Amino acid sequence: MLRVAVVGSGPSGCYTAQSLVQRDPEVRVDVLDRLPCPYGLVRYGVAPDHEKIKSLQGSLRTVLEHERVRFLGGVRVGGPGGLPARRLRELYHAVVYCVGAATDRRLGIPGEDLAGSWSATEFVSWYSAHPDAADAGFLRGVRTAVVIGVGNVAVDVTRMLVRGAAELRPTDIPQAALDTLAASGLTEVQMVGRRGPAQARFTTKELRELGGLPDTDVIVDKAELALDPADPGALPTGPRRNVEVLRDWAARPPAVAAARRIRLRFFLRPVELLADGGRVGAVRFERTAPDGTGGMTGTGRYEDVPAQLVLRSVGYRGVPLEGLPFDPASGTVPHQEGRVLRDGVPCPGEYVAGWIKRGPTGVIGTNRPCAKETVTSLLADVPALGRAVLPEEPVAALRAAGVEPVPWDGWLAIERAETELGARLGRGVVKLSDWDALLGAARVLS
Ligand code: NAP
């Protein structure tokens, strides 16, 4: 028998487990997660109104319910109180780290930490009911917001800021976030890119969705689009379509009666967050110009955009995991085809997949081939790793270390509690958003 631990139950962890059981009839896989709930960013990153993407949970569920896969929630690996990575190696023939990119990139500009300035990740965690997220009063007194960055996360948070409560009510958004968004007095969001529309990272489908939001006008300035003289016809399909959509919007007359506006801005690089009464009051941008090679240069001209809320959506970043090598430049674990490299030397028995392996890029499906490559390396190493019976049973060892894992039944009990909460509120499933509620449901009801 081959016993493998997969650390992280998001898409990369689930696809790794799936590939393992499909390709080795004798493997047994434990999928560990520090949270009592599975699915990683599918549960805690995909926006609640993206129900189609969220439905991917159904196929990840099939993996975690496979007879040779076991979900062990509430198990932290590394860090204070966590199971050390070297201990995990003693309990399994091989360990695959699929821990994602747990933090956000920094802008590194003055005022970044002013009250009212948040990373998009913090905002996403809040509306996704992540138990570590604080209800930070994101929208208190906010009339205008700035979202820095033009990737898909920026589109998500922009859309969520203006989406009406009526549309979010049927989703699983936690009640407190729904109430806050319903009471919001926000009228305008500016989503701002430091380069041009052709270099924006959002995908066209996500961009187009902004144009279909009820009672919301999308405004694009023709003059800003014209700053890039490059011929859109020469662009690859994705950027070309983005530019076409933006040009269409720029050509439309503004909707007079819309309650909310989204302004898509380009060629503005943030240089400082300006305070007003101890909180953020505006963002100072420098106008940029294309440098002809896809980059940009500063022009020395500045524009202050008023905002009582700033969401910095400039990408995720991996965090070092105690006991594993880490490349601070890329925020990833150095690897060769998924094998962890220590001082440049592959370490059979230790692997990575997903964002901690290749950085925070790509869509959910990108994790499938990524996981497959790692599993190919792992299975090629099996002759060296051996399949000898291991001396300890992992769950018994975890309990001896004072960790009581949340089993799959515990997660099913959380799901039932979320259905019951929704029924009490006259809604569908509503997510539980704090540790006590999650662990209470998992342990009491299971
Ligand atoms: P991203 O796609 O890497 O976009 C980051 C954005 O931040 C870019 O516009 C980037 O501009 C900008 N940026 C970076 N540093 C900056 C700085 N110092 N000042 C100003 N702007 C800066 O990251 P993301 O939006 O977090 O998305 C992460 C991944 O998740 C992506 O692969 C995304 O497609 C995926 N995702 C997909 C969906 C979906 O499919 N619906 C939803 C959410 C996320 P530059 O290009 O100029 O660096």
Side-chain angles (χ1 to χ4, degrees), residues 51 114 120 173 276 288:
E51 273 146 352
L114 277 172
I173 189 169
D276 180 10
T288 61

Side-chain angles (χ1 to χ4, degrees), residues 96-280:
V96 189
Y97 293 91
C98 303
V99 293
T103 190
D104 52 284
R105 270 197 220 130
R106 302 277 300 166
L107 284 172
I109 59 173
E112 183 164 9
D113 294 317
L114 277 172
S117 160
W118 304 95
S119 70
T121 338
E122 289 168 304
F123 188 65
V124 169
S125 294
W126 167 71
Y127 67 59
S128 303
H130 194 292
D132 287 344
D135 188 346
F138 290 101
L139 291 167
R140 209 168 296 138
V142 173
R143 298 174 310 283
T144 58
V146 161
V147 175
I148 299 175
V150 284
N152 276 333
V153 171
V155 175
D156 274 350
V157 297
T158 298
R159 196 182 64 252
M160 286 297 292
L161 278 170
V162 299
R163 250 224 205 286
E167 288 181 297
L168 291 172
R169 204 177 149 74
T171 73
D172 64 5
I173 189 169
Q175 190 63 35
L178 180 65
D179 292 343
T180 300
L181 288 164
S184 147
L186 177 138
T187 55
E188 179 167 303
V189 184
Q190 298 214 21
M191 186 173 124
V192 188
R194 61 180 171 178
R195 298 189 288 157
Q199 289 84 39
R201 302 275 185 97
F202 43 62
T203 38
T204 313
K205 183 169 165 285
E206 275 60 33
L207 174 66
R208 277 211 183 99
E209 220 182 327
L210 294 180
L213 298 173
D215 213 9
T216 303
D217 196 13
V218 181
I219 299 171
V220 182
D221 184 352
K222 256 188 211 149
E224 244 166 19
L225 296 189
L227 288 172
D228 190 351
D231 170 19
L235 293 169
T237 314
R240 181 171 47 75
R241 288 201 179 130
N242 284 345
V243 171
E244 283 164 7
V245 170
L246 291 163
R247 286 190 170 181
D248 278 356
W249 287 345
R252 284 191 320 200
V256 184
R260 290 175 174 173
R261 284 178 305 279
I262 298 172
R263 279 184 200 277
L264 299 180
R265 307 290 312 273
F266 295 96
F267 293 114
L268 289 170
R269 126 171 120 193
V271 290
E272 186 175 358
L273 270 60
L274 306 173
D276 180 10
R279 295 177 55 84
V280 69

Side-chain angles (χ1 to χ4, degrees), residues 54-75:
K54 279 219 171 287
S55 68
L56 256 174
Q57 287 186 8
S59 58
L60 302 185
R61 178 188 200 101
T62 316
V63 176
L64 295 176
E65 288 186 332
H66 188 280
E67 57 184 0
R68 284 181 286 122
V69 176
R70 178 168 65 167
F71 172 72
L72 300 175
V75 180

Side-chain angles (χ1 to χ4, degrees), residues 275-446:
D276 180 10
R279 295 177 55 84
V280 69
V283 185
R284 176 159 297 164
F285 290 97
E286 181 182 13
R287 171 65 67 198
T288 61
D291 67 0
T293 63
M296 45 87 190
T297 50
T299 62
R301 284 181 288 124
Y302 295 88
E303 174 176 336
D304 293 351
V305 177
Q308 302 77 47
L309 170 71
V310 174
L311 296 178
R312 309 178 310 263
S313 185
V314 295
Y316 290 91
R317 199 183 146 69
V319 290
L321 204 117
E322 201 181 316
L324 273 193
F326 189 72
D327 172 13
S330 62
T332 58
V333 171
H335 74 96
Q336 190 180 63
E337 291 165 352
R339 285 182 191 92
V340 171
L341 292 174
R342 288 183 188 275
D343 299 322
V345 181
C347 299
E350 290 178 301
Y351 306 86
V352 280
W355 279 2
I356 196 64
K357 171 183 172 188
R358 50 171 223 278
T361 57
V363 292
I364 293 171
T366 317
N367 290 297
R368 227 180 238 282
C370 175
K372 219 169 158 189
E373 180 193 65
T374 295
V375 169
T376 301
S377 298
L378 189 160
L379 294 178
D381 292 344
V382 169
L385 299 171
R387 292 177 184 261
V389 174
L390 292 164
E392 294 172 276
E393 202 293 310
V395 169
L398 285 170
R399 287 192 178 129
V403 180
E404 183 61 46
V406 173
W408 186 248
D409 278 356
W411 158 245
L412 296 182
I414 291 173
E415 279 193 321
R416 285 198 298 279
E418 294 190 332
T419 305
E420 284 161 18
L421 172 63
R424 280 202 299 282
L425 293 166
R427 297 177 51 198
V429 170
V430 174
K431 276 175 166 177
L432 298 173
S433 52
D434 64 82
W435 279 101
D436 286 351
L438 288 168
L439 292 176
R443 303 221 193 278
V444 178
L445 302 178
S446 62

